[in-house]
Amino acid sequence: MISPQDIKQHLITIIFSDEPTVRDLFSLVVAFAIIWFIVFSAVKTIVRPLIHNKKWLLDAMSKEYERHAKKQLEELNMDMTKDEYIAFSMRDWPRLQSISSQHLIGSLFCIPSILGIGDPSLASSLAACGILSEIGWELQDVIEMILVRMFHKEGKKIFPDVVFIIFLVHHTLASCLGIPVILYYRHHKTIHWICFDLQFAAGLALSFGEITKVLDITNPRHLRLFKALNFIALVTMVWTRIIHWTYLTTTLFITWYNDKAWAFLFFGILISILFTGFSYVVCVKPFYKKFVKFLHVSAEYEALPPDASADRRRSSVIQLDLARSELLEAELLADFQTVFQKRKVARRQSVPILRGGRGRRGSLFALQLQQSKSFGYEVTKSKDL
């Protein structure tokens, strides 16, 4: 009979092997899937009671509902009261922190390689763990979706067909690309950099999103922090999704061309073109425009004279809040893009339904994505709210 110690030793051997097989790598993926399932379950159990009905979180969820969600829910003929929406978002909050931590931890595996710390072979093995960790999390996520759809009474409402297919295609694509890259280019530092950039940027965006969600931007100190965090998010997005991404992928293309690795080259160029174009058109450009607009509106708000009338001050606050909402919407799109590259759910499931020029169909799809990743799989009215 195989003991836990034997399994542990076997996995360690695979991690540091320079010539693992596909079966070996899949064993590591399964191990990471189990680890992340246990971690996510533990975080849910521990964190939920700690944040239940906390004033700072209740206030943030309440504002989200009033800003966006209430109107969109009515337009979509969805019966969800304010209390139910807050309860839904609060139940989902621990999962968001777990997802953020998972991506940041995955990026840390790549640090020794990209900084040239320690033995190169050891560093490459750790970087490969960063990729396999992501694939493992995606595997347990797919299994979770399948089980919910099969056995939960409202499984296909929680994970609608279109949402399930999108995530399934993405997860399958990531697995199909990740494992071959480790098999043939595990020591290529460019691969490690890409893994670091995508996971670190995603984890950072999620963390900043949760912070900015609870800030009171009418408070001067909170307003400065809000602008600083969004500026860092914008710079990180431009660097990891456009500038550094282009440099890294070009380096890979040259390597694959010299190696005559035509399959890698073909799919690599195709994915790079789609990813870069989508990043700029859907993520970077709108986020930059909304951020600049917010800076202008906030400057007008901060420039109000002490003797400004109550009506003028109230109007300025309304404009500031609207600019904030538009900026967070643009940031939500940027994080939604991560779903298709490194499996990121929408920036935060507590983010209300998208508004603006995407129309009713886009709003419904955004809401489906939100609900599909509910931590508790049901929306219940909290008696304590």
Side-chain angles (χ1 to χ4, degrees):
M1 183 177 179
I2 301 177
S3 67
Q5 186 64 30
D6 292 334
I7 296 175
K8 175 184 174 182
Q9 188 58 46
H10 176 65
L11 293 176
I12 292 175
T13 301
I14 295 174
I15 290 173
F16 298 108
S17 171
D18 283 336
E19 296 182 354
T21 64
V22 174
R23 182 177 178 179
D24 290 337
L25 294 180
F26 187 72
S27 299
L28 286 178
V29 168
V30 172
F32 274 116
I34 295 172
I35 290 171
W36 286 123
F37 175 79
I38 294 172
V39 169
F40 276 42
S41 299
V43 169
K44 174 190 69 174
T45 303
I46 296 171
V47 174
R48 271 185 182 167
L50 297 178
I51 56 95
H52 182 66
N53 280 356
K54 293 297 183 181
K55 185 178 184 303
W56 59 271
L57 191 55
L58 285 173
D59 289 345
M61 302 303 181
S62 178
K63 291 176 182 178
E64 294 280 9
Y65 179 84
E66 297 297 341
R67 286 192 188 108
H68 307 282
K70 181 179 179 181
K71 181 179 179 181
Q72 291 296 328
L73 289 168
E74 290 173 352
E75 290 177 353
L76 297 170
N77 296 319
M78 299 190 69
D79 184 19
M80 186 184 294
T81 66
K82 183 176 182 178
D83 284 355
E84 289 171 337
Y85 178 81
I86 293 174
F88 160 78
S89 300
M90 188 172 294
R91 284 180 63 82
D92 198 46
W93 195 84
R95 180 183 178 89
L96 301 175
Q97 315 320 308
S98 301
I99 292 172
S100 175
S101 300
Q102 185 270 328
H103 280 80
L104 290 173
I105 291 171
S107 71
L108 293 179
F109 280 116
C110 304
I111 294 291
S113 175
I114 64 179
L115 296 184
I117 300 173
D119 178 69
S121 179
L122 174 61
S124 295
S125 296
L126 292 176
C129 285
I131 300 173
L132 295 172
S133 168
E134 180 70 14
I135 299 174
W137 175 58
E138 293 171 348
L139 174 63
Q140 67 89 27
D141 196 49
V142 169
I143 294 174
E144 178 185 11
M145 286 189 285
I146 292 173
L147 292 177
V148 171
R149 283 171 59 89
M150 288 177 61
F151 299 111
H152 195 282
K153 62 181 180 180
E154 295 184 347
K156 292 191 176 181
K157 291 183 179 180
I158 296 170
F159 293 107
D161 291 342
V162 63
V163 174
F164 175 72
I165 292 172
I166 287 175
F167 284 121
L168 181 63
V169 169
H170 166 265
H171 292 347
T172 303
L173 180 63
S175 301
C176 290
L177 291 176
I179 290 180
V181 161
I182 294 174
L183 286 172
Y184 293 98
Y185 293 95
R186 68 181 285 119
H187 297 295
H188 205 300
K189 188 175 290 189
T190 302
I191 299 294
H192 309 159
W193 263 113
I194 291 176
C195 178
F196 172 82
D197 279 0
L198 295 177
Q199 294 203 69
F200 179 78
L204 190 72
L206 280 169
S207 299
F208 283 3
E210 290 305 308
I211 295 173
T212 57
K213 180 176 65 177
V214 300
L215 293 178
D216 176 12
I217 57 175
T218 60
N219 179 307
R221 191 164 64 92
H222 286 198
L223 179 58
R224 289 193 295 271
L225 180 59
F226 183 88
K227 289 190 285 188
L229 292 179
N230 277 284
F231 175 75
I232 295 172
L234 176 61
V235 171
T236 302
M237 187 189 306
V238 172
W239 176 254
T240 59
R241 301 304 197 234
I242 302 294
I243 300 174
H244 204 211
W245 166 265
T246 301
Y247 169 77
L248 294 173
T249 53
T250 301
T251 302
L252 277 181
F253 298 158
I254 294 172
T255 299
W256 291 335
Y257 177 80
N258 291 334
D259 292 348
K260 295 180 170 49
W262 306 124
F264 277 111
L265 184 61
F266 173 78
F267 288 108
I269 291 176
L270 179 62
I271 292 173
S272 178
I273 291 174
L274 293 174
F275 179 75
T276 305
F278 189 85
S279 293
Y280 176 74
V281 174
V282 179
C283 303
V284 175
K285 185 177 179 180
F287 186 77
Y288 169 76
K289 287 185 174 181
K290 300 297 184 183
F291 182 64
V292 171
K293 178 181 178 180
F294 180 84
L295 292 180
H296 288 315
V297 174
S298 64
E300 293 175 0
Y301 170 77
E302 292 175 300
L304 285 174
D307 60 346
S309 67
D311 287 343
R312 183 181 176 188
R313 190 170 295 277
R314 183 165 51 251
S315 176
S316 183
V317 169
I318 291 173
Q319 292 302 315
L320 183 66
D321 195 60
L322 178 60
R324 167 192 176 139
S325 300
E326 292 177 352
L327 178 59
L328 293 180
E329 178 182 325
E331 192 172 354
L332 172 59
L333 276 179
D335 290 314
F336 174 69
Q337 174 256 355
T338 312
V339 169
F340 299 97
Q341 181 60 28
K342 288 301 294 178
R343 171 51 180 99
K344 263 315 272 98
V345 297
R347 174 176 167 277
R348 56 180 192 273
Q349 284 81 350
S350 55
V351 173
I353 305 89
L354 293 176
R355 296 183 63 181
R358 278 165 290 281
R360 180 185 179 94
R361 184 176 179 182
S363 298
L364 176 59
F365 182 65
L367 180 62
Q368 288 176 326
L369 283 174
Q370 260 184 241
Q371 291 183 317
S372 71
K373 304 310 293 178
S374 168
F375 197 77
Y377 304 127
E378 58 185 350
V379 178
T380 57
K381 187 171 183 177
S382 173
K383 295 180 180 179
D384 300 325
L385 292 175

